[in-house]
Amino acid sequence: MKRSKVIELVKHPEVVGLGNKVCVKGWVRTKRGNNSVAFIAINDGSIVSSIQVVVDVAKFDEALLKLVTTGSCLCVEGTLVESQGKGQSVEIQADKIEVYGSADPEIYPLQKKGHSMEFLREIAHLRPRTNYFGCVLRLRHAMAFAIHKYFNDRGFFYLHTPLITASDAEGAGEMFNVTTFDLNNIPRTEDGKVDYKKDFFGKRTNLTVSGQLEGELGALSLGSIYTFGPTFRAENSNTPRHLAEFWMVEPEVAFNDITDNMDLAEDFIKYLVKYALDNNMDDLKFLNDMFDKTLIERLEFVLKDAFVRLDYTSAIDILLKADKKFDYPVSWGIDLQSEHERYLVESHFKRPVILTDYPKDIKAFYMKQNDDGKTVRAMDVLFPTIGEIIGGSEREADYQKLLHRVQELNMTEEQYWWYFETRKFGSAPHSGFGLGFERLLLFVTGMTNIRDVIPFPRTPQNAEF
Ligand code: 4AD
Ligand code: MG
């Protein structure tokens, strides 16, 4: 018999029709009952709800039913009927049960409900079987799909930028090296330096920290592009908002100035939040009820008003006047800490904030320089509970100014020669930004630790699964 997904039976029981035979396959979430009747909740991952299977115990082999325990995997055939109990509209009266795989209750780690997030992280190979992670992973999929849809509908092209590069786009030096050298026997030049000429690519290479530089090449030929891929940062920051491997979405648009860039960022993020509310309400409701009672309210709230737009210098003034003691003292020139960002968003404006025109010394080399000689046309989008969710800028399109900045920072021009050629040949004003995909998911799911919105988190000292 053809298998039905639980979502089909729960959402559209009329398709199979009450009184007709169905087959479901999935994992047992709970089993309860007595000597005459058993109730088995089966979840197949298609939706957060499980379907209830009602078993007339007398009709089944006792040994078989013994194998039906939490975590085991079953194939059930039976009749779809209206449910007698509360909490579900339909259930299945079982005719036939096959146990695909048992799960010894003595050792199955998800035997009981209510595990801590910390514990679940230690069993990342099994945690997708919990309702929490089912919801998170379905939302993750929906957001990835919505990102492609948003850009495709607006004429952007998806550009695949390399994961292995020879450049440091952000100039922060937090990179993972890529090499095929035998680490116990690294070739050296006569003056004792590592001889990268002998390495696989004939030069020093690393995992990318951003697809932006290559993205700019795309924008300056195709007009509007976006990248969406894994990004790697070897920063040793063990925080609830940092991963060593995360996914970033980077649109880059020719002829956009900073205001167009802000408009795009705000429209994009509101679209994604609305997409989740329109398409994933089952998952959001579950997370709202079980984890974070204000989740849906926060999502709806973000859609209501325009984001505040403010320059860095004015933000510093606000922070200096704040009657709150910050762990990191405030002065013009500091890189804002998440406590500062959250103060602006959560306490002062009570809305998402787009901060612009940061001091050039705390931002990357490629940002457009303002006439004041001190600031650059950067923009960060700051969100409640998260802090920075997007970082971007208008780009420096002037060859001489860019060259000057690179020299000032003691960067090697030769390494970026191909990037400079975009400024030499047909340069154009352009802007872009990067949205941290997992930061977006933190906001959309209400999870508080970034390790809980990616299936297999990579953080310092952690690459088990
Ligand atoms: O602000 P960032 O470093 O900007 C760039 O990389 C630019 N090249 C983007 C661009 O203009 N095309 O990173 C962008 C976003 C951050 O705002 C944050 O949301 C996320 O990426 N991010 C991280 N997310 C998780 N873990 C980390 N270690 C992250 N570092 C940055
Ligand atoms: Mg940033």
Side-chain angles (χ1 to χ4, degrees):
M1 193 188 294
K2 185 178 164 283
R3 167 202 170 209
S4 298
K5 287 193 176 178
V6 172
I7 190 170
E8 295 159 1
L9 299 178
V10 170
K11 292 280 176 190
H12 298 287
E14 72 282 359
V15 174
V16 170
L18 294 179
N20 289 327
K21 296 289 180 199
V22 289
C23 167
V24 291
K25 301 180 181 190
W27 293 268
V28 174
R29 281 293 155 80
T30 55
K31 180 183 162 200
R32 49 191 187 84
N34 51 41
N35 289 338
S36 57
V37 59
F39 302 98
I40 307 167
I42 291 191
N43 186 285
D44 67 0
S46 59
I47 185 172
V48 64
S49 10
S50 301
I51 194 156
Q52 175 157 287
V53 173
V54 184
V55 182
D56 182 352
V57 172
K59 287 197 201 151
F60 289 85
D61 179 23
E62 202 185 319
L64 175 97
L65 289 185
K66 262 207 160 138
L67 292 176
V68 178
T69 58
T70 299
S72 60
C73 187
L74 310 183
C75 170
V76 175
E77 289 180 18
T79 310
L80 189 68
V81 297
E82 200 172 324
S83 178
Q84 312 294 307
K86 276 196 210 146
Q88 67 266 331
S89 59
V90 292
E91 60 193 23
I92 297 170
Q93 242 141 24
D95 300 330
K96 207 171 125 191
I97 297 176
E98 184 185 343
V99 178
Y100 280 153
S102 59
D104 183 349
E106 296 292 318
I107 52 173
Y108 180 57
L110 291 170
Q111 191 57 33
K112 293 201 185 68
K113 287 185 174 176
H115 292 295
S116 71
M117 288 295 162
E118 288 77 12
F119 172 75
L120 292 177
R121 254 170 246 152
E122 288 168 19
I123 52 164
H125 59 305
L126 292 174
R127 68 179 183 169
R129 299 238 195 125
T130 64
N131 283 335
Y132 280 130
F133 284 92
C135 289
V136 168
L137 295 180
R138 279 184 297 271
L139 279 160
R140 193 177 162 104
H141 162 80
M143 290 295 91
F145 177 77
I147 284 164
H148 288 297
K149 179 164 169 51
Y150 178 88
F151 288 123
N152 185 61
D153 288 352
R154 285 158 186 77
F156 285 64
F157 301 106
Y158 181 24
L159 185 76
H160 295 104
T161 51
L163 297 192
I164 301 174
T165 74
S167 60
D168 177 2
E170 293 307 296
E174 291 153 338
M175 301 180 298
F176 292 99
N177 290 332
V178 174
T179 179
T180 50
F181 280 158
D182 172 359
L183 295 185
N184 295 314
N185 186 16
I186 296 172
R188 298 203 177 258
T189 57
E190 268 168 22
D191 53 359
K193 293 197 176 126
V194 177
D195 189 358
Y196 285 107
K197 282 209 171 64
K198 297 212 172 81
D199 204 352
F200 189 91
F201 295 105
K203 54 167 56 178
R204 186 177 179 158
T205 52
N206 52 274
L207 292 177
T208 186
V209 296
S210 158
Q212 179 196 323
L213 301 190
E214 294 89 352
E216 287 186 50
L217 308 183
L220 294 173
S221 47
L222 298 168
S224 306
I225 63 92
Y226 68 106
T227 72
F228 183 15
T231 312
F232 307 87
R233 300 213 179 156
E235 46 192 340
N236 205 353
S237 40
N238 243 319
T239 81
R241 288 181 314 281
H242 288 88
L243 290 165
E245 177 181 289
F246 63 100
W247 286 62
M248 187 157 40
V249 188
E250 296 182 275
E252 191 74 33
V253 185
F255 318 119
N256 266 9
D257 66 12
I258 187 83
T259 307
D260 303 320
N261 206 32
M262 288 193 275
D263 292 346
L264 179 66
E266 182 168 345
D267 186 60
F268 177 49
I269 218 162
K270 282 180 169 168
Y271 175 93
L272 296 176
V273 170
K274 183 164 186 314
Y275 187 95
L277 287 166
D278 288 348
N279 294 279
N280 292 75
M281 210 26 138
D282 289 337
D283 293 325
L284 291 176
K285 272 208 182 105
F286 179 87
L287 293 171
N288 192 86
D289 293 348
M290 304 300 287
F291 193 75
D292 178 345
K293 301 273 188 256
T294 61
L295 172 63
I296 293 176
E297 192 182 304
R298 276 205 312 280
L299 296 181
E300 283 167 348
F301 179 73
V302 159
L303 300 182
K304 273 211 320 250
D305 298 303
F307 296 179
V308 174
R309 298 180 182 192
L310 186 78
D311 61 77
Y312 169 92
T313 304
S314 309
I316 291 290
D317 284 344
I318 292 170
L319 293 170
L320 285 170
K321 288 192 193 119
D323 72 18
K324 178 181 160 69
K325 192 145 175 36
F326 296 111
D327 293 339
Y328 293 86
V330 177
S331 64
W332 197 94
I334 61 157
D335 205 354
L336 296 184
Q337 300 295 318
S338 122
E339 56 170 342
H340 306 131
E341 297 173 337
R342 294 186 58 178
Y343 175 83
L344 292 169
V345 173
E346 292 165 29
S347 307
H348 191 81
F349 289 110
K350 301 192 168 64
R351 267 199 270 164
V353 175
I354 310 184
L355 274 194
T356 59
D357 302 289
Y358 282 73
K360 67 174 185 190
D361 292 334
I362 57 171
K363 289 294 181 186
F365 73 96
Y366 51 70
M367 296 192 181
K368 185 175 171 64
Q369 297 159 33
N370 285 324
D371 292 338
D372 63 10
K374 289 193 309 193
T375 59
V376 285
R377 216 153 278 178
M379 60 159 233
D380 279 7
V381 180
L382 313 180
F383 250 51
T385 71
I386 315 290
E388 180 191 335
I389 194 164
I390 280 179
S393 73
E394 187 168 341
R395 316 306 187 189
E396 182 55 72
D398 182 286
Y399 174 64
Q400 290 301 336
K401 283 190 182 164
L402 189 65
L403 185 62
H404 218 104
R405 188 66 186 138
V406 162
Q407 286 165 347
E408 220 169 49
L409 292 168
N410 286 324
M411 292 166 64
T412 43
E413 191 196 340
E414 301 80 61
Q415 205 185 337
Y416 299 93
W417 67 270
W418 47 272
Y419 183 71
F420 276 99
E421 294 219 332
T422 60
R423 273 59 170 177
K424 280 188 200 161
F425 307 131
S427 187
H430 60 289
S431 302
F433 61 80
L435 166 73
F437 187 52
E438 285 77 19
R439 300 246 176 120
L440 168 79
L441 285 167
L442 279 176
F443 185 71
V444 170
T445 62
M447 291 285 137
T448 51
N449 194 309
I450 201 161
R451 294 163 179 78
D452 301 331
V453 295
I454 186 165
F456 306 104
R458 295 286 173 268
T459 49
Q461 302 296 312
N462 176 31
E464 178 78 14
F465 304 96

